[in-house]
Amino acid sequence: MAAGKIPAVPFFLRGVVCKGFGRGSKELGCPTANFSDEVVGTLPEGLENGIYYGFAKVNNDQVHKMVASIGWKSILQKRKKKL
């Protein structure tokens, strides 16, 4: 990302929650969810890895406060961005 240029935030993501490793809720003590690689691929270009906050809605239920961890996950010696 060019110096001084900030990607467009806020942004909106939509996708089906997919199965993770099954340790997030157990280790953190709160519900977690994972998005598919297709959804991760729609993140704004230049968005830095980090912890972001926002709102989530699942299955037309209530809107909830949420945090998102965006970063790299090593898989078979390749690096993939995860959300």
Side-chain angles (χ1 to χ4, degrees):
M1 178 168 55
K5 186 175 180 184
I6 299 172
V9 290
F11 56 91
F12 175 81
L13 295 172
R14 171 178 273 176
V16 176
V17 172
C18 61
K19 184 166 177 53
F21 290 107
R23 51 180 194 242
S25 294
K26 294 172 192 145
E27 292 179 10
L28 295 174
C30 63
T32 62
N34 300 286
F35 274 129
S36 68
D37 292 341
E38 290 80 21
V39 174
V40 175
T42 67
L43 290 169
E45 186 174 331
L47 183 68
E48 293 186 22
N49 292 347
I51 306 298
Y52 293 84
Y53 68 93
F55 300 93
K57 186 175 184 179
V58 179
N59 297 330
N60 294 321
D61 199 3
Q62 294 178 313
V63 174
H64 301 275
K65 295 177 187 175
M66 66 87 166
V67 295
S69 174
I70 299 174
W72 298 101
K73 178 70 177 166
S74 178
I75 298 176
L76 301 176
Q77 299 181 8
K78 295 182 181 179
R79 299 184 64 81
K80 293 177 99 175
K81 197 166 213 174
K82 299 305 277 183
L83 172 65

